[in-house]
Amino acid sequence: MSEVTLDVKNFCVSYPGRDILTDVNFQLHRGEFVALIGANGAGKTTLLRAILGLIPAQSGCVSINGFTPRQARSAIGYVPQKHLFQWDFPITVTGAVMNGKAKTLGWLRRPTREDWLQVFTALERAELLHLKDRIIGELSGGQKQRVLLARALASDPALLLLDEPFTGVDAPTQASLNRLYRQLAKEGMTILMSTHDMLAAREECSRVLGIRGGLALDSPTDTLTLEGLHRFLHTHHERS
Ligand code: ATP
């Protein structure tokens, strides 16, 4: 078996008065591209943010290449839901991507030649070089999604977390982004993508994790039908 990038063990997360994730256990191996599904409010974003160390767990642990989320921060690329980013900030595409790096490297350090190289490599991979001097607020939905991806890629992460990356993205851009995610996975990046798009989950990913209270589904995509995925999504879990 190939090396484990992400190991989630006996993981429980609650908000005051409510258990969201109960005893979640799974591993992602190097180079896997895995979909995370679940109904609205099931806890997908909560799980992604807890893997990043932004939400504390009540119990259990997460390790990324053997390190805690805090130790592994620069090894995790996070693409949040598009509407959560501050698009009205007057900054260019290049500036937004460099800012994303500064967040993990520390604001006080001046960017080195290596940092710039990584930023431009990320812009190129996300097909944004022709838009590098544009103000981010002027971009289309698909272009904004690419900016968030380039920000995440600029630190060359081992683990990429994508939260609903197809919302407000047209079909050709979605297809092009999916090709890029598959290529990144082929090169060894491990990708966990939360999505409501069951077709993308089945067609693009090798495995699907389903959240309903805890982890209620962990299956290779070739054993899953679209109907089965929809049934999972629309079966409600009564919380106690
Ligand atoms: P969606 O598909 O709608 O994005 P999700 O599966 O990503 O949903 P989460 O955003 O993880 O779900 O939210 C899980 C549950 O936790 C929801 O019921 C939400 O209302 C609740 N929740 C999220 N953040 C908080 C918070 N900071 N405090 C209290 N409850 C919260």
Side-chain angles (χ1 to χ4, degrees):
M1 196 44 132
S2 63
E3 44 186 289
V4 173
T5 308
L6 173 66
D7 194 4
V8 176
K9 273 205 190 100
N10 308 119
F11 203 58
C12 301
V13 177
S14 311
Y15 291 120
R18 272 188 78 191
D19 296 334
I20 306 295
L21 303 173
T22 48
D23 200 27
V24 171
N25 288 279
F26 68 91
Q27 291 184 331
L28 299 189
H29 293 89
R30 186 172 187 273
E32 271 195 297
F33 179 16
V34 175
L36 177 64
I37 67 166
N40 287 127
K44 303 178 294 296
T45 299
T46 299
L47 177 60
L48 296 182
R49 291 177 62 81
I51 291 169
L52 274 163
L54 298 176
I55 297 177
Q58 267 55 49
S59 55
C61 64
V62 166
S63 68
I64 299 104
N65 285 336
F67 295 97
T68 64
R70 186 183 282 263
Q71 292 165 334
R73 186 63 194 90
S74 63
I76 314 174
Y78 177 47
V79 174
Q81 292 186 29
K82 213 163 49 269
H83 71 272
L84 297 176
F85 192 73
Q86 203 186 341
W87 296 105
D88 57 1
F89 203 66
I91 192 172
T92 63
V93 167
T94 306
V97 176
M98 182 52 92
N99 265 3
K101 257 188 95 59
K103 243 183 179 168
T104 51
L105 296 177
W107 291 98
L108 296 177
R109 184 161 87 48
R110 278 174 66 102
T112 60
R113 249 177 73 93
E114 181 63 18
D115 293 331
W116 283 113
L117 189 67
Q118 287 186 319
V119 165
F120 279 96
T121 304
L123 288 170
E124 187 177 19
R125 292 225 74 171
E127 295 179 27
L128 281 172
L129 273 182
H130 64 298
L131 297 171
K132 68 183 174 47
D133 299 323
R134 286 277 290 276
I135 300 295
I136 53 172
E138 298 169 1
L139 302 175
S140 71
Q143 291 165 341
K144 286 177 175 167
Q145 194 63 46
R146 290 180 187 277
V147 170
L148 294 179
L149 177 63
R151 277 168 63 90
L153 294 182
S155 52
D156 195 17
L159 175 66
L160 181 63
L161 305 175
L162 306 171
D163 199 351
E164 293 291 345
F166 304 131
T167 310
V169 170
D170 65 23
T173 304
Q174 175 166 342
S176 145
L177 286 170
N178 269 324
R179 272 194 302 279
L180 177 57
Y181 300 145
R182 279 204 311 271
Q183 177 59 29
L184 290 167
K186 212 162 139 191
E187 291 169 17
M189 199 174 285
T190 306
I191 306 180
L192 182 59
M193 171 176 80
S194 97
T195 185
H196 286 280
D197 187 333
M198 294 302 105
L199 192 62
R202 211 180 102 75
E203 301 294 313
E204 309 295 340
C205 299
S206 55
R207 202 171 130 209
V208 175
L209 303 180
I211 294 284
R212 190 195 293 144
L215 189 67
L217 175 76
D218 181 349
S219 176
T221 34
D222 54 14
T223 63
L224 292 168
T225 61
L226 259 184
E227 294 71 41
L229 288 172
H230 279 290
R231 210 174 315 119
F232 178 86
L233 207 60
H234 296 117
T235 305
H236 290 283
H237 170 75
E238 291 302 324
R239 291 181 196 278
S240 53

